[in-house]
Amino acid sequence: MTDIEFGLTVHAVTAGRELAELVRRMDALGYDVVAAPDHLGAPSPFAALTAAGMVSPRLRLRTYVLNAGFWNAALLAREVATLDVLSDGRAELGLGAGHMKAEHDDAGLPWPALAERVQALERLLLEVRRRLAAEAHRPRPVQPRIPVLVGAMSAPGLAVAAHHADVVGFAGLRQVPGAEPGTFTLSSSTETAERVEQVRARAAGRAYRSDVLLQAVVLGAEPAASAAVVAASAPGLTVAQLLDSPFVLLARDAAEAAEELRRRRERFGFDSVTTHQPYLEALGEVIGAYRGAGGR
């Protein structure tokens, strides 16, 4: 694939019927990927993706992203392979180093320093890949090689993505230095361009997709007005930051938003776009405008 693909993370469902309706709506709007995060308090990612795969025969099924500190390689390989079998080869494995200390505390798990978490992420990725590639592994995945996404924004995390990932997930959120763990800000356009160049250099010509995680998609008003509304509910973020960051999409209408995605693809190489469940309809409008104007 050479053009933009679109995904949505599923955060909250209260019944199977609700998930089924959401997945059918994603299909109708033209999404390509249904994604599931790995947070305590959210649905189990593999259960949610398996259920989604039973509703849609088309959507790719991506963990976005699993917290490496929660998983054992042998058990994770089993889960991924099972999802791939049950979905006829649509599983995608998204991994991250973890960024919520409170969830590790709640689960009774250690919270190592970032460097250690990134090392653990790389070890897990390589061991899962090794297991899935083994002829003797059961269940046997349908796909010869299950695509791997690595989500990060730190230089060490993106280095792992550059070396190993089929999809490099630019998460956008950065821990505020010196603040309570779990206190985040959004990466600026300048910071993002620097990270993109670092990944390109480390990848050394290796092919990969680049996914941008949009933290908000707002249409129907002047971008500055929308940024003011978002900033009012996001302490620590300013209107200027929101207008500059490539991790939010604010536009007067879907056509303008689609054009902005084209500009970001040109500048940053983003050929995959994911957002969160509350922005299902907004990004769905953008998908229609993008593809209706010959984006695909």
Side-chain angles (χ1 to χ4, degrees), residues 204-294:
R206 190 180 65 82
Y208 58 88
R209 297 192 73 104
S210 293
D211 184 80
V212 57
L213 180 58
L214 297 176
Q215 302 296 332
V217 181
V218 183
L219 308 177
E222 291 292 332
S226 296
V229 173
V230 174
S233 61
L237 291 178
T238 68
V239 169
Q241 285 176 304
L242 290 164
L243 291 174
D244 172 67
S245 178
F247 297 95
V248 294
L249 184 60
L250 312 173
R252 284 181 287 268
D253 56 33
E256 182 178 274
E259 185 57 34
E260 177 60 23
L261 290 184
R262 292 187 186 92
R263 285 193 291 269
R264 294 180 189 182
R265 180 177 179 181
E266 181 69 22
R267 180 177 181 186
F268 303 111
F270 295 149
D271 56 3
S272 179
V273 176
T274 304
T275 196
H276 301 299
Q277 186 175 337
Y279 306 107
L280 164 75
E281 296 294 338
L283 188 58
E285 286 187 50
V286 179
I287 294 170
Y290 181 84
R291 291 178 176 163

